[in-house]
Amino acid sequence: MTYAREMLDTYPGTVAMMDHDALIECIEACFDCTQSCSACADACLGEDMVDHMRRCITMCLNCSDVCASTGRILSRQTEFEPAMVRAALQACAEACRLCGEECEHHATEMDMEHCRVCAEACRRCERACNEALSAVGA
Amino acid sequence: MTYAREMLDTYPGTVAMMDHDALIECIEACFDCTQSCSACADACLGEDMVDHMRRCITMCLNCSDVCASTGRILSRQTEFEPAMVRAALQACAEACRLCGEECEHHATEMDMEHCRVCAEACRRCERACNEALSAVGA
Amino acid sequence: MTYAREMLDTYPGTVAMMDHDALIECIEACFDCTQSCSACADACLGEDMVDHMRRCITMCLNCSDVCASTGRILSRQTEFEPAMVRAALQACAEACRLCGEECEHHATEMDMEHCRVCAEACRRCERACNEALSAVGA
Amino acid sequence: MTYAREMLDTYPGTVAMMDHDALIECIEACFDCTQSCSACADACLGEDMVDHMRRCITMCLNCSDVCASTGRILSRQTEFEPAMVRAALQACAEACRLCGEECEHHATEMDMEHCRVCAEACRRCERACNEALSAVGA
């Protein structure tokens, strides 16, 4: 139901010289991760032991913000600027790494299912950012 | 690949008393529409006749912003506040209506394929917002 | 240090037919309220009794998101669309009203200073949205 | 009228071990730059010669997005994570550098006043990010 590929395919000009599949996967991973991180911050806030969830909430809120801005930047083909895209992808990969680790910790040690789902979203997005970084060139 | 349903299903507390399918569809439609509107604003900017695309660009940028905030608000179940959700959904339905109309216009009269895709995303999101409004109650 | 007035004064075309002071005050109030609500959600999360702060955190996160999108929409003069602006302002006034009430409650009954500051930011933004609504016309 | 300093001063826990003035200036610079970049993208779109403004519009939209997410991340003191803050600041400094250069170009060569104001906002934010980077430590 996502439109990222169709939007890229119908772009009227020349698309960025980078692998399209890597770009589309990264756009989709960013928007999916924004959503899951917003939802996971909220699920953590709904836990009885919310006082143990502070770091996870902050990591999720930060990651949600960075993924949202990165997803938008990647969605822009007009005057695509590799230096900007690289900087955004680096920040996003780091946000996803930190959030994914924290969520993973709650998933394995406290059996929190929302953190397990969110850790998966973060790891997928971290991987997609790193692959997009390779695709966009150093 | 989206996590909206899994995140809702793993929420640790009581989920908002509204139809889950309507809620999930609306969350997904909002995030998809944020992306397609960012991409369509960019595609319009890449058109040779960009001076004819000003209204479409502004409608897309506005709609992308409103969909992003609405998608996040809907993703929060803790202390779900119907008055807030309704206000966000009303603004989002209006943003999607205005943007969808403008994109539709360029799709049919100027054969712009990116506008056709984005109009579809907007109409789907407008419909999802209106169905979520019914589900959340007046 | 804000640039909202200078940006409006240097806009190259015709600015929206609404009172400029009301528009500028509302733009500034929206961005200031986005910041204070993000900071207040965080300060509430840092409270020892975070389990009593859930509603305040959610109201702050929602209000921060709506203010951010509304501040951007108001910053756009090209193809200014009153129907869009009105819908955004209505949602924003409601978000600020709900968040301001909740923060006010914690400020007066629990003497939380960050909530007192945030309540002030929310009330100012609610007022600015209502005045901008009058200025933009029904 | 901004609340960043008051919000930091009323934070209930221990604030990040970094210079407060540098942190507050960076928070304010990020939110001000988000606004000016959204407004400058719009002003560029309103120019008669919009077809010469494409790069400036994209740089402004990207910079506005990165500044918004960075301003929020910096506003969070609970479980302040230096690695996240550094990654966000690096992306933001780069976004501001690229956007500031482009706006400066239009300000000096085409006498566009909105670009002159926005270039100032970008340079201030770039500087504030670099100073915050020094303050947060390597």
Side-chain angles (χ1 to χ4, degrees):
Chain A
M1 271 302 215
T2 172
Y3 306 94
R5 182 174 299 275
E6 280 185 274
M7 289 308 299
L8 195 68
D9 287 346
T10 58
Y11 181 76
T14 309
V15 172
M17 300 265 267
M18 65 180 282
D19 182 70
H20 284 202
D21 286 343
L23 178 60
I24 290 164
E25 164 60 10
C26 197
I27 292 170
E28 294 185 341
C30 281
F31 282 99
D32 286 351
C33 198
T34 290
Q35 196 278 325
S36 71
C37 284
S38 282
C40 191
D42 174 74
C44 291
L45 185 64
E47 290 283 355
D48 288 339
M49 51 201 308
V50 55
D51 53 319
H52 289 239
M53 306 306 288
R54 287 189 179 94
R55 183 172 163 88
C56 202
I57 292 173
T58 295
M59 294 304 113
C60 280
L61 293 176
N62 287 344
C63 192
S64 181
D65 285 334
V66 176
C67 286
S69 77
T70 304
R72 284 180 161 193
I73 289 167
L74 294 172
S75 299
R76 297 182 182 122
Q77 294 298 315
T78 305
E79 299 289 342
F80 186 90
E81 169 54 62
M84 177 69 260
V85 170
R86 268 196 299 275
L89 287 170
Q90 282 161 350
C92 197
E94 180 68 355
C96 290
R97 186 185 68 78
L98 288 163
C99 189
E101 275 180 15
E102 186 64 21
C103 283
E104 184 67 38
H105 172 74
H106 293 291
T108 51
E109 299 197 13
M110 298 159 87
D111 221 24
M112 288 183 176
E113 283 303 302
H114 51 85
C115 282
R116 186 191 57 69
V117 178
C118 192
E120 187 184 314
C122 290
R123 280 192 307 259
R124 174 189 161 213
C125 193
E126 182 189 358
R127 197 165 48 238
C129 285
N130 285 323
E131 284 171 19
L133 270 170
S134 302
V136 81
Chain B
M1 271 301 215
T2 172
Y3 306 95
R5 182 175 298 275
E6 278 185 276
M7 290 308 298
L8 194 69
D9 286 347
T10 58
Y11 181 76
T14 310
V15 172
M17 301 265 267
M18 64 181 281
D19 182 70
H20 284 202
D21 287 343
L23 179 59
I24 291 163
E25 164 60 10
C26 197
I27 292 171
E28 294 185 340
C30 281
F31 283 98
D32 287 351
C33 198
T34 290
Q35 196 277 326
S36 71
C37 285
S38 282
C40 191
D42 174 74
C44 291
L45 185 64
E47 289 284 354
D48 288 338
M49 52 201 307
V50 55
D51 53 319
H52 289 241
M53 306 306 289
R54 287 188 179 95
R55 183 172 163 88
C56 202
I57 292 173
T58 295
M59 294 304 114
C60 281
L61 293 176
N62 287 343
C63 192
S64 181
D65 285 333
V66 176
C67 286
S69 78
T70 304
R72 284 180 161 194
I73 289 168
L74 294 172
S75 299
R76 297 182 182 121
Q77 293 298 315
T78 304
E79 298 288 342
F80 185 91
E81 169 54 63
M84 178 69 260
V85 170
R86 268 195 300 275
L89 287 170
Q90 282 161 349
C92 198
E94 181 68 355
C96 291
R97 186 185 68 77
L98 288 162
C99 189
E101 274 179 16
E102 186 64 21
C103 284
E104 183 67 38
H105 172 74
H106 293 291
T108 51
E109 299 197 12
M110 297 159 87
D111 221 24
M112 289 184 176
E113 283 303 301
H114 52 84
C115 283
R116 185 191 57 71
V117 178
C118 192
E120 187 184 314
C122 289
R123 279 192 308 260
R124 174 190 161 212
C125 193
E126 182 189 359
R127 196 165 49 236
C129 285
N130 284 323
E131 284 172 18
L133 270 170
S134 300
V136 82
Chain C
M1 270 303 215
T2 173
Y3 306 94
R5 182 175 300 273
E6 279 186 274
M7 291 307 299
L8 194 69
D9 287 347
T10 58
Y11 181 75
T14 309
V15 172
M17 300 266 268
M18 65 180 282
D19 182 70
H20 284 202
D21 286 343
L23 178 59
I24 291 164
E25 164 60 11
C26 196
I27 291 171
E28 294 185 341
C30 281
F31 283 99
D32 287 350
C33 198
T34 291
Q35 195 277 325
S36 70
C37 285
S38 283
C40 191
D42 174 75
C44 291
L45 185 64
E47 289 283 355
D48 288 338
M49 51 203 307
V50 56
D51 53 319
H52 290 240
M53 307 305 291
R54 287 187 180 94
R55 182 170 163 89
C56 202
I57 292 173
T58 296
M59 294 303 115
C60 280
L61 293 175
N62 287 344
C63 193
S64 182
D65 285 334
V66 176
C67 286
S69 77
T70 304
R72 284 180 160 192
I73 289 168
L74 293 172
S75 299
R76 297 180 182 124
Q77 293 298 315
T78 304
E79 298 289 341
F80 185 91
E81 169 54 63
M84 178 68 260
V85 170
R86 268 195 301 273
L89 287 170
Q90 282 160 351
C92 197
E94 181 68 355
C96 290
R97 185 184 69 77
L98 288 162
C99 190
E101 273 179 16
E102 187 64 20
C103 283
E104 184 67 38
H105 173 73
H106 293 291
T108 52
E109 299 197 12
M110 297 160 88
D111 221 25
M112 288 184 176
E113 283 303 302
H114 52 84
C115 283
R116 186 191 57 71
V117 179
C118 193
E120 189 185 312
C122 289
R123 281 192 306 260
R124 175 190 160 211
C125 193
E126 182 190 357
R127 198 165 48 235
C129 286
N130 285 323
E131 285 173 16
L133 271 170
S134 302
V136 82
Chain D
M1 271 303 215
T2 172
Y3 306 95
R5 183 175 299 275
E6 280 185 273
M7 289 308 298
L8 194 69
D9 287 346
T10 58
Y11 180 75
T14 309
V15 173
M17 301 266 267
M18 65 179 283
D19 182 71
H20 284 202
D21 286 344
L23 179 58
I24 291 164
E25 165 60 10
C26 197
I27 292 170
E28 294 185 341
C30 281
F31 283 99
D32 287 350
C33 199
T34 291
Q35 196 276 327
S36 70
C37 285
S38 283
C40 192
D42 173 74
C44 291
L45 186 63
E47 290 283 354
D48 288 339
M49 50 202 308
V50 56
D51 53 318
H52 289 241
M53 307 305 291
R54 287 188 180 95
R55 182 171 163 88
C56 202
I57 292 173
T58 296
M59 294 303 115
C60 280
L61 292 176
N62 287 344
C63 192
S64 182
D65 284 335
V66 176
C67 286
S69 78
T70 304
R72 283 180 161 193
I73 289 167
L74 294 172
S75 299
R76 296 181 183 123
Q77 293 298 314
T78 304
E79 298 289 341
F80 185 91
E81 169 55 64
M84 177 68 262
V85 170
R86 267 195 299 275
L89 287 170
Q90 282 160 351
C92 198
E94 181 67 355
C96 290
R97 185 184 70 77
L98 288 162
C99 189
E101 273 179 15
E102 186 64 20
C103 283
E104 184 66 39
H105 172 74
H106 293 291
T108 51
E109 299 195 12
M110 297 160 88
D111 221 24
M112 288 184 176
E113 283 303 302
H114 52 84
C115 283
R116 186 191 56 72
V117 178
C118 193
E120 189 185 313
C122 290
R123 280 192 308 260
R124 176 190 160 212
C125 193
E126 181 189 358
R127 198 166 45 237
C129 286
N130 285 323
E131 285 172 16
L133 270 170
S134 302
V136 82

